Each structure stands twice: as C-alpha cells, then as structure tokens.
Amino acid sequence: MIIILKNGATDDQIDHVVERIEAMGLKAHLSKGTYRTVVGVIGDEEKIQTAPLKAIPGVEDAMPVMPAYKLASREAHPQPSVVEIGSGKAVTKIGGGHFGMIAGPCAIESGERLDEIAGEIKAAGANVLRGGAYKPRTSPYSFQGLGEEGLKILREVGDKHGMPVVTEAIDPRHVELIAEYTDMIQLGARNMQNFVLLTEVGMTKKPVLLKRGMAATVKDLLMSAEYVIANGTTEVVLCERGVKGFDNACRNMLDIAAVPQVQLMSHLPIIVDPSHATGRPELIPACALAAAACGADGVHIEVHNCPEEAMSDGPQALLPEQYKDLAAQIRKVAEAVGKSF
Amino acid sequence: MIIILKNGATDDQIDHVVERIEAMGLKAHLSKGTYRTVVGVIGDEEKIQTAPLKAIPGVEDAMPVMPAYKLASREAHPQPSVVEIGSGKAVTKIGGGHFGMIAGPCAIESGERLDEIAGEIKAAGANVLRGGAYKPRTSPYSFQGLGEEGLKILREVGDKHGMPVVTEAIDPRHVELIAEYTDMIQLGARNMQNFVLLTEVGMTKKPVLLKRGMAATVKDLLMSAEYVIANGTTEVVLCERGVKGFDNACRNMLDIAAVPQVQLMSHLPIIVDPSHATGRPELIPACALAAAACGADGVHIEVHNCPEEAMSDGPQALLPEQYKDLAAQIRKVAEAVGKSF
Amino acid sequence: MIIILKNGATDDQIDHVVERIEAMGLKAHLSKGTYRTVVGVIGDEEKIQTAPLKAIPGVEDAMPVMPAYKLASREAHPQPSVVEIGSGKAVTKIGGGHFGMIAGPCAIESGERLDEIAGEIKAAGANVLRGGAYKPRTSPYSFQGLGEEGLKILREVGDKHGMPVVTEAIDPRHVELIAEYTDMIQLGARNMQNFVLLTEVGMTKKPVLLKRGMAATVKDLLMSAEYVIANGTTEVVLCERGVKGFDNACRNMLDIAAVPQVQLMSHLPIIVDPSHATGRPELIPACALAAAACGADGVHIEVHNCPEEAMSDGPQALLPEQYKDLAAQIRKVAEAVGKSF
Amino acid sequence: MIIILKNGATDDQIDHVVERIEAMGLKAHLSKGTYRTVVGVIGDEEKIQTAPLKAIPGVEDAMPVMPAYKLASREAHPQPSVVEIGSGKAVTKIGGGHFGMIAGPCAIESGERLDEIAGEIKAAGANVLRGGAYKPRTSPYSFQGLGEEGLKILREVGDKHGMPVVTEAIDPRHVELIAEYTDMIQLGARNMQNFVLLTEVGMTKKPVLLKRGMAATVKDLLMSAEYVIANGTTEVVLCERGVKGFDNACRNMLDIAAVPQVQLMSHLPIIVDPSHATGRPELIPACALAAAACGADGVHIEVHNCPEEAMSDGPQALLPEQYKDLAAQIRKVAEAVGKSF
C-alpha cells in the first residue's frame, strides 16, 4: 500500500497515519518529497486492504500494490486455467488453448424448438448448449422463462446431442435446482455484482460462466470472480459481452481489449459474447472473428431458427445457417492463432 | 408503435409485416415515402409492445409511442405521488412538495455508534434514518454487515429518536425479515435490475427506495420501478446516485438532469444521493444544494462520526457537524423553490 | 513525482530508473516494500513532468504530485479570479461572487432579430450578449454563420443595449478580427483541444470563455486553460456544458460536480451552460437553478424569439418570456448562496 | 423524414406542421394512431434535413430516413473505395481488399532516428510511414514538433525507403505546406470536428486519414468525412482509434464493432489504431489482430526504437522487433479473411 499525503499535511497528521499503520501490525516508510510526503507500507498488505485509509485526515490517496482479487490473479496461478464442462462423453474444455463454442437460443421455448436448434449448431461446431429457463427481463410484462420445465428440456436436449449445457441463475433459491440439471451456471451481466447470487453459485462448486456487468471495469469483473472462487468454485469462465457506450447504434460497446487485459491479470479463461455486445446480427460475425484473433478462449452466440417468433432477444439472434458459416470462419482464425477444438 | 422499413424493403416484406400486425388484433396504416415505408400501428399498443418486431425481415426499427412503464408513468397518474414513510408519530412524507432528508452511516456498526449519529443528524434536520445491515461489498473479504442484529439496532435507534428507518435488501430470502423491522426498503444501484429482488420487495407493499443503476438510463430506472409497482407496492421513491462516467476524479457522475426528466415522465418522487455520486466529502455540499434547487424531493447523505474507523465507505462520509451546516443550507435553498419540511 | 515499479522489477531496472532521475538533476528516494519498490522524486518536478517515465523498463506507473496546469491552479493563485468583460459603462464581472448571465441566440441571423432578443434578455437580467458569427456545424450543408457581417451586428446591438458581447472563434485566421469586434472570445467544446486556436486566442489577451470538451476530464479542461494563459490571456472563464453520456434522452450529460471540483483545483470562474448540456428546453430551468445553487459563477443560456425559424439549435432555445421567468428564479437562488449581480 | 407529434398535440399544431412542410415544397402524409399522430414527409428530404423541425410546437421527434452523410454513404457508392497513397514506385493501396500497414514514431525527432525506424518497419512489412511534425499536445510545455524541418525529414526518409508518408495537420495555415511534402494528410481525433481544418484539408484533394474523435459516434465520423469530401478530396481513409471509456486501465476503449458498422454505412476504407486505443504496448498485438480479423482495411501502429527517450507518447510505442513479430501475425490473420498486401 502506498499512501500519498495531501500537499500541506501537518506533522501531526503524518504521525497519525504512521500510528494507524503500526496499529495494524505493519511498518511505515516515509518519503518526504519537495511538495509531498509519501508513506510506503511494509508488511502483509491484506491486513490493510479493506481499511478506510482515505478517510484519515491529511491523506490524499491510498493505492494497493497487490491485486485485491487474490485467487483470480495471475500471480496466484501463473498458468492459464482450463475449465472442464460436462461429464462422460460430453465434455468441453475452455482455456489454455481450448476454444469454447457456446451457442443456443436466448430462452428455452419448447423441447421441439430447442432440439432443432441444438441439432443444427452442434453440426456447425458448437460444443456447449445454452438456453435460458429463468430470464431477467427489463419489463415485468415480458416472458420470464419456463423455469424447471425449461431446465428439464435443456438437460434432455443436451444429452441427446452430446453437448454440455449452461443456463443462467437469477435467484439464489433456484441455484441448487439449476446445479442438478446443468453442467455450468451462468451469472448474467445484470447480476455481476449480485454478491448474494455469486456466493450461492460459488458454493455449488459447478463451473461458472461469469458475464461482465455493463458498467464494470475489468478489475470489477475479477473481484466478482474472486467472490465465486472464495466460496468454493474453482472453475470460472469470464465473458466480455459489451459495456455501456455512448453510441446507441449498438446495444453495447464490445471492449475487445478486455481479453488481453484479463489474460495479463488473471489465469481464468475469457470468452466473448458478440450477440449481446452488438445486439445486431449483421455485426456479430466481424466481432466474433475479432474475438478469435485476439486470443479469446471462446465465443458465446445466440442462435434461433425463427427470430421473429423468439420469446426473448429475437432481433439479435443469428439463423442456424448464418452460425454455420461463421463457425467455419471462427475455426480458421482461431486455429491461425494456435487454438484447438 | 411505429415500424420503419428498410430502404429497399420488398412488397412481400411489407405484406408480411402487415400480416403480423393484424394477427395480433391490430390495424396497420402504411405511409409510403420517397425512400422508405413507415407502418403506423393502430390499436392497443400493449398487445405488441413485447413482440420482437425488429426481427421481422425488412424492418429497420420499431418505436413504441407509449411508455412501457405504464404504472410509473406521468400519464397514468398526472399528480405527483406523496410517499409516507413510518407510522405513529414518526412519519415522513416525500414528494409533492415534501422534502426528505435521509441520512445515517453506510453500515450499522453498533447500537452505541448509531445512537450517537442518529441524535446528531436528527437535531440537524434529518427525517429518515438509514443504515446498512446487509452490505453489498465488492470484495468478499470486506465487512458484510451485522444482519438481523443490525436490523434490531436500527429499529431501536429509529424509535428512540422518532425517525422512520430505511435499510437495503440484497437477498430475496431476507426481504420478509427486513420488512418486519423497517419502514422502507432500499434497492441498491447494483440490484436495480435484480428483477427477483424487485419482485420480492414489491410484494411486501412497503415503501421502497429504488436507486438508479450505474449504467441505467432514466427509462431503465422507471422500468425497474414498474416491476416493483406491478408486484404490489405503490409507494416508490427513486434515487439518482450518479452513473458511470469517464472522469475518475469522482466515484460516479451525478446526472442532475435526471431529476427534471423523471418529473416529466413519472409521478414518483425522486431524491438525490450526492455521497455515492461523488464519493468525495468536499463535493457533497455543492451537489446536495444543486439537488435541492433543481426540484428534487429529498437528499440521501451518508454521515459518520469517525470516518477513519467506518466499516464501509468511510472516505465519503460527512461528519455530523458538516451535515448540520449543510442541512441548514439545503433547507434555505429548498424553501426558495417551494418545498416544505 | 512518484514512480511505482513493477512487481518483480530487477535491481538493474531500479538502478536504471535512479540514473534517469539523477540525469535530470533530481534526487531519487527508494522505498522497498514487501512486494514492490516505490521511487519518490525529490526536486523541481517541472523538470520531469513531460518525460516518458512509464516507458522505462520495469516501471508500472508514474504519478505527478503537482498539477501540470500550473498557472490555472488554485495553488498558484489562492483567491478566486474575477474576470471583467467589456469596457466603459458596459462592464460585467464574473467570478469571486459576481454572477454572469450570458444569453442570446445560437447564431446571429439579422440585426433586427438580434436587437429584439437582446432587448428582451437585457430587461430580464442578462449581462453579457452572445451570438455566433462563425458556426461549427456537424453538416457541411448547414448554415455556417454570417462571418464579419455578424460581428458588426453583434457589436452594434451590444452597444445599443449596453451589454458586453461574446462570440465563438473557430479559425485561427479570424481571431484578430473577432478580437476587434468583441469583448470576450469563446472557445467551443469541439475546439477545447484545438491547441492552435487556444494559442492564437490566448495571444489576443482578451477575456476567454472556454467550454469543456465532450470527452474532457476536469483536468483536461484546466490543461486547455493553461494553454490560453501561457500564451498571454489571464482572464479565462470556464464553462461546463455537459459531457458525452450513455443516456441519449439528453444531448449531453451535465456534470454538475465539475463546478465544485474546478473551484477546488483552480482560481478561474466556472459557469454552466444548461442549453447545450440538455438540448431540451423543458430541462433547462431545473439545471440552471442547480448551477446557481452549487456555486457556479454564472449561466450561459440560448434564447430565441422564434425557435422554429432559428438557423441553428432552435430546438434547444428558450423563448424570451421563459428566460425572464427563469432569470428571476436564478437570481433568487444565487443570492441565497451569496452571489451578487 | 418522419415527424412524431406529442401525445395530445392539438389539431392546430398538426395543421401548422403540415403547413411548414408544404412551405418547403414537400408533401405531408398523416397517420393518426390511437395515441399519437405521425407525419411522413414525401419528397426530397435534403430540402428539410437541416430545418429545426423539433422546435415546432407539438413535435416530439423528427427522424431522417436518409443518411445526412450523402457522399460518404454506401448508398451513394455501393462498391468499397480503394485509396491510393503516394506516387511512382511507392504507392500503397488501402481498401477493397488491400491492407494498409501504417507505422512510425509518434513525433519526428531527427533524420537519423526516423531513418533507423523506417528501415526496420519497412523490412517488417509496413507500407506507409507516419511521423508527426506538428504535435497536438495537451500541455503547452511539451515538445510541439519540428515543423517544416520535420516535414523535410519525413519526405527524405520516405523517399529513401520507398514508402509513401502521412503526417498530421493541426493548423489550417500549414495545410498547403504539408500537402507539398506528404502523400496523405492526417486529421487527428482532437480535430475530427475542427470543421475549418476539415475544409482546408479537403480542398487539397490529397488522400486523408481521418481519425475518430473520442466522443464521436460512427455517424459523427461519417459526417466529418462528408465535410472533407464535400470540399474536394475523394480519397478518405477512416481510423477507429478508441473512444472515451469509463475503465481507465486503458487510455481509450477500442470500439472494434465500428469497423463492420462503417462498412455497412459507407464505402470508405476503415483502419484501426491499437496504439492510441489502448495506450499500452502489451495490449497492442491482440487488438491489432482483432482488427485484421474483423475486416479492417489496415492498422496504424506507433513504433519507436527507444521509447524511454521518445519526445511524445513513448510509453505506448512498440519496439521495432515487437512490430516485426506482430506484422507477421497480422499478415497471417488478414490473409485468412481475404486481404492482400
């Protein structure tokens, strides 16, 4: 921790800062500059990381030198993690060179429809099936998902096509149920800082797909991953899905630089969701290819065979034939940068 | 609903759009311009508001003409709502000319400390006591709140000082318990689109303090209010508390224009939280006065009597004596624009 | 300057950093923590402020401890500056308790129209007349201003009504001409980092109205003020006019907290332009009152007597009668917080 | 143009809107819905595009159906444009499948240094040499460029290595001079809406490299291109170089989706500048590969052989050997998506 004092901090204030540090069992090292004094804190930073140092009179700023996301950090785990999703024959690896192709409709609408879509995307190269059973909708009047009935359908269709399955949890009271039916639990962008849900999902020890919140920095994303890991799960896949931008021609702004940033800061795999990032089918292919080229560990794409009848997010879904073409291109680009499928 | 077709939409596509509209029991009115065709939808817009119209081939855009936040809208309720918090002698009104002064520490730390703070802010003019018993913390290693013990302390201290009390709910499983102990339930910025929690809190029929999310538009905020109201509560106070901005000199960017915007769009009261908006005590007074002058129905300010020992958000707390000075100025400005206390 | 080395920086790298600092005539003070080394630089920070320290191998970050906007800083000039605009009988002071009421149409369209508007706003309380002769328009096909003819009209109308006048410069080749006709030169938001123009305008030594750019931090704004002052002008009024936001219900997002921030960091007066900040007449009054209450040194408001015929920005103009009502309220609020007119 | 009237617009207001439209020589087509009236304007939209329609009483919104950037639009020119830079043997094409590799130091510092860098990047595959002679610096105390001396160096070094050259113009009074020495003129992000400079540069008829402003939408960027084209130049290469974002871990936020957006909306080539977009050398390679994969027509990368001595932007420069490795990877990815060099 480095503590920068205000220009004009008094000797009493400086002494008080030193006392507080020593009271926490650490040592203070003063560096008096021409204009300002800086205090270096020597010892175990964890003891001080959550203390309100900036509230001490005379303190201008306090900067940690160690990341607060200890378990998620690259320092803690220098090799990239590989997350295994599913069991038996249907196992998909993501990370460490393995490329995940997560695809499926936004919401599970019926067994028949999901079966059709799953058959087509599996043939195209998808290796994890997604579908929402509990939907976080911005309007209380919109379709909210089929609930447990949806989970059953997802499990059956996944098993039939030999694909591990992922679905979103939005309620801590449903987490256990979802864990029974699925291979991976998604935490959505709107719930990235729903710490109650993060804790509950972490306790299942299931692989987790954690999406970045719309106003979250990369560091915030890693802090949320830390929550999940600190509660039990060790297998977390992060997902960049666009953040809030000022150009409303797109639903969100895809922050592609988050991919190499995460890879510098953390050992966790990171994939990209161009469907939510753009909200526009005509922009999804280019963004998916960008993700594959920049080193992402996978892509998450929404596919529907009749978007105009979709019960959620139809306007941003790719058709199965569009997905097929795109999947072939993604494979080409990802292989060009050293990924395997 | 106005549907704008793409430049070059074919006659077949136009016919298909008209068919879909008529299939929903509505009438389509075509307006063929030199370059584009526009379809006006005539009839009850609610029937069509959640349909994926933009996914229909040939459609460029679809714009609703009625707000999707029906119950929260000004159209539905032309007079400003007045929310009553508390019962017996300790009742505070917010809205319709009544100004709310919500204050207290970020977290409830002990009965003694809360009692001291409450005594000082009550004397200064605060009329609702706040304090967190369940804290949404970005680090899993930070203090998470006293839980039910905190709720008991809050109730006792509120009763002793004759102040209604508000606390944040973060877990749907605690909502009932919180409703027993408190007069108003807060939904925090990070949970503004936690629709499960919104639903659960709405069902208590208690007054709600709904904070704007960091990436939420004013319309998004009203959609979340709609969730709460559609589930039972009719008394919702909105709170502007800063949104994510690019200038990280402040914790967030206070969107002061949200206040008159909400007042045009909705009948619900709106207050301002300059503490979270700025994160810097030296900026809080100016922003609180701005809120009072621009017509806000109240202010929400964090106060602590020893910020450097605070277990949460110490660096942004005002001292009781700072709050006292500010409260006097706020009253002067708010009265100058016609508010009563 | 504080230089933070990377976790794992080698002794050679540390030595190299020290050498570079000493080569600039400064002293380095090392503080070796448990995980990182921090180097405090002792001596005249100006010598090092523009050096590419972050490019030295092993350096994680380099933070100045003195503001780079030396002349504009509060440290350099502890008392608030008062800017005097105009001469003879028509002098308006802004800053240090004096409140500026700058108003007028977006563009100067004709002598008659400007005369009508000026008469009405002067009666309402405006004390500086604005009007554009050279307009920065986003479309090459829009009206670009009357040029020198417009400057003449502005001067005549200002003189007739006893109001000092301000107009925008957009071309360094016109600055001298503009300086002859007007009392204050405006640098618009789109030109806040047009350093060539800043330099040219600074050299006139005329009072300057410097508007904040749409993506500029408060520090960026002060750096631009530094440009102007370093070139000769000492009288600069800053203007917060909204920054780019994600909620496109408004044209921009008014960053009201910039007002107290500037007042902490700088001695320069700061006013608010709610017309450009919101782009919506129905939101202007509330935002103008917020500005007055939070300590701004004035407001800049566009007024037109026939907005639907305005040649620029008609949709955001207030009518003269709306301005009159607002001006009376502003005066009440500004006086309540200690300003004089 | 589609004009949406306010809920509750009176018949008089509707009549007035119709009159205004007819007065401009166009026809109005009314569509009265259950809640609102919509007016479709039939005829040549250009006549009405710059009129202040939203200022007419009763009007809620007015939406053009044709792009305002006529000359830059895909409609006007369905095939992608190919821009040719340079003459004689040193000609580089960008667009329509031709991939531009623009590289060089931020500022021209000396003939020797530029010569060394040019030799190395040319060998690595760069096909346009960049270097700044006039630098837009945020501090008046920073190095401002060598001016004409720098232009001479750039021309000589470019000729020696057989590379066409590009440099930035920041002052309309230097544009003619720059046009004499160089093959392409850059308009920087801070000057994207410096319409005076856009006009002057357009008049040279030289190829232009137009960078996106930090707060500019894709549409804003195309409007600025329109300025340049409307003044004479037909050869414009657009450049996405990151926009202002809220996560200050990067200098800017690279909006990779802008590439396919521009390609849908316009015929102009678009390249990506990962150096300014990230400001961090360790993130540049991943972002450059993302650009190549998503269909960009080139990349613009800053290279310096001694970043810690660079007179501008050293901390974001790649070393020549890093550029060499990256250029080889870019070529592989760009060829995988069909580009030629």
Side-chain angles (χ1 to χ4, degrees), chain C residues 124-138:
Chain C
N127 52 24
V128 180
L129 177 64
R130 66 144 286 133
Y134 302 93
K135 298 300 307 167
R137 302 302 298 274
T138 48

Side-chain angles (χ1 to χ4, degrees), chain A residues 16 20 50 52 54-57 68 70-71 136-142 144 170-173 190-191 193-196 200 214-215 217 220 223 226-227 230 244 307-310 314-315, chain B residues 16 20 50 52 54-57 68 70-71 136-142 144 170-173 190-191 193-196 200 214-215 217 220 223 226-227 230 244 307-310 314-315:
Chain A
H16 181 57
R20 302 277 318 183
T50 62
K54 285 190 220 177
I56 305 178
K70 207 174 43 162
L71 303 170
R137 303 303 298 274
T138 47
S139 167
Y141 312 121
S142 295
Q144 308 275 327
I170 58 173
D171 189 331
R173 296 165 299 193
R190 288 182 176 77
N191 283 313
Q193 292 194 321
N194 179 341
F195 303 114
V196 169
E200 204 71 35
M214 277 163 280
T217 63
D220 291 337
M223 286 306 298
E226 187 79 7
Y227 249 95
K244 202 76 185 180
E308 69 181 87
E309 288 176 4
Chain B
H16 180 58
R20 303 274 320 183
T50 63
K54 286 190 219 175
I56 304 176
K70 206 174 43 163
L71 303 170
R137 302 303 297 275
T138 48
S139 167
Y141 313 121
S142 295
Q144 308 275 325
I170 60 173
D171 188 331
R173 295 166 298 193
R190 290 182 175 75
N191 283 312
Q193 293 193 322
N194 179 342
F195 303 115
V196 169
E200 204 71 33
M214 277 162 281
T217 62
D220 292 336
M223 286 305 297
E226 189 78 8
Y227 249 94
K244 201 77 185 179
E308 70 180 84
E309 288 176 4

Side-chain angles (χ1 to χ4, degrees), chain B residues 176-190:
Chain B
E176 212 173 318
L177 187 72
I178 292 171
E180 281 171 34
Y181 283 103
T182 61
D183 304 302
M184 181 181 221
I185 304 178
Q186 178 186 318
L187 286 158
R190 290 182 175 75

Side-chain angles (χ1 to χ4, degrees), chain B residues 14-265:
Chain B
I14 297 173
D15 290 349
H16 180 58
V17 169
V18 172
E19 274 165 34
R20 303 274 320 183
I21 291 165
E22 291 175 352
M24 289 183 253
L26 299 156
K27 280 180 63 183
H29 180 272
L30 287 179
S31 171
K32 297 203 179 192
T34 310
Y35 306 104
R36 292 198 194 219
T37 295
V38 174
V39 184
V41 179
I42 301 170
D44 183 1
E45 188 169 297
E46 276 178 63
K47 292 185 184 168
I48 203 173
Q49 214 160 28
T50 63
L53 300 168
K54 286 190 219 175
I56 304 176
V59 172
E60 169 94 20
D61 207 356
M63 292 168 302
V65 292
M66 292 295 287
Y69 46 90
K70 206 174 43 163
L71 303 170
S73 75
R74 179 64 83 169
E75 279 93 341
H77 190 304
Q79 292 308 307
S81 288
V82 179
V83 171
E84 291 201 15
I85 308 153
S87 58
K89 286 189 193 166
V91 173
T92 294
K93 290 183 186 178
I94 296 182
H98 303 276
F99 199 85
M101 295 281 283
I102 305 180
C106 183
I108 300 159
E109 299 167 15
S110 73
E112 222 166 47
R113 179 148 271 169
L114 188 65
D115 184 32
E116 285 166 20
I117 298 171
E120 300 198 72
I121 59 176
K122 165 83 179 183
N127 52 24
V128 179
L129 176 65
R130 67 143 285 132
Y134 302 93
K135 297 301 306 168
R137 302 303 297 275
T138 48
S139 167
Y141 313 121
S142 295
F143 173 62
Q144 308 275 325
L146 296 180
E148 188 170 0
E149 178 57 22
L151 296 176
K152 281 184 192 160
I153 293 171
L154 182 62
R155 183 73 272 162
E156 282 169 21
V157 173
D159 286 347
K160 175 175 167 192
H161 295 280
M163 298 173 88
V165 298
V166 57
T167 203
E168 182 172 358
I170 60 173
D171 188 331
R173 295 166 298 193
H174 297 152
V175 168
E176 212 173 318
L177 187 72
I178 292 171
E180 281 171 34
Y181 283 103
T182 61
D183 304 302
M184 181 181 221
I185 304 178
Q186 178 186 318
L187 286 158
R190 290 182 175 75
N191 283 312
M192 193 203 85
Q193 293 193 322
N194 179 342
F195 303 115
V196 169
L197 191 62
L198 267 58
T199 300
E200 204 71 33
V201 168
M203 286 165 61
T204 66
K205 304 197 172 160
K206 281 263 171 184
V208 170
L209 177 61
L210 176 63
K211 296 189 127 191
R212 182 177 178 187
M214 277 162 281
T217 62
V218 170
K219 195 195 145 203
D220 292 336
L221 174 61
L222 293 174
M223 286 305 297
S224 287
E226 189 78 8
Y227 249 94
V228 178
I229 302 173
N231 278 287
T233 288
T234 55
E235 299 192 295
V236 178
V237 174
L238 306 173
C239 182
E240 161 61 34
R241 43 78 73 208
V243 294
K244 201 77 185 179
F246 59 79
D247 189 347
N248 71 321
C250 281
R251 184 166 171 177
N252 290 291
M253 188 173 284
L254 177 58
D255 180 15
I256 199 77
V259 173
Q261 272 188 81
V262 162
Q263 290 172 340
L264 285 170
M265 297 160 81

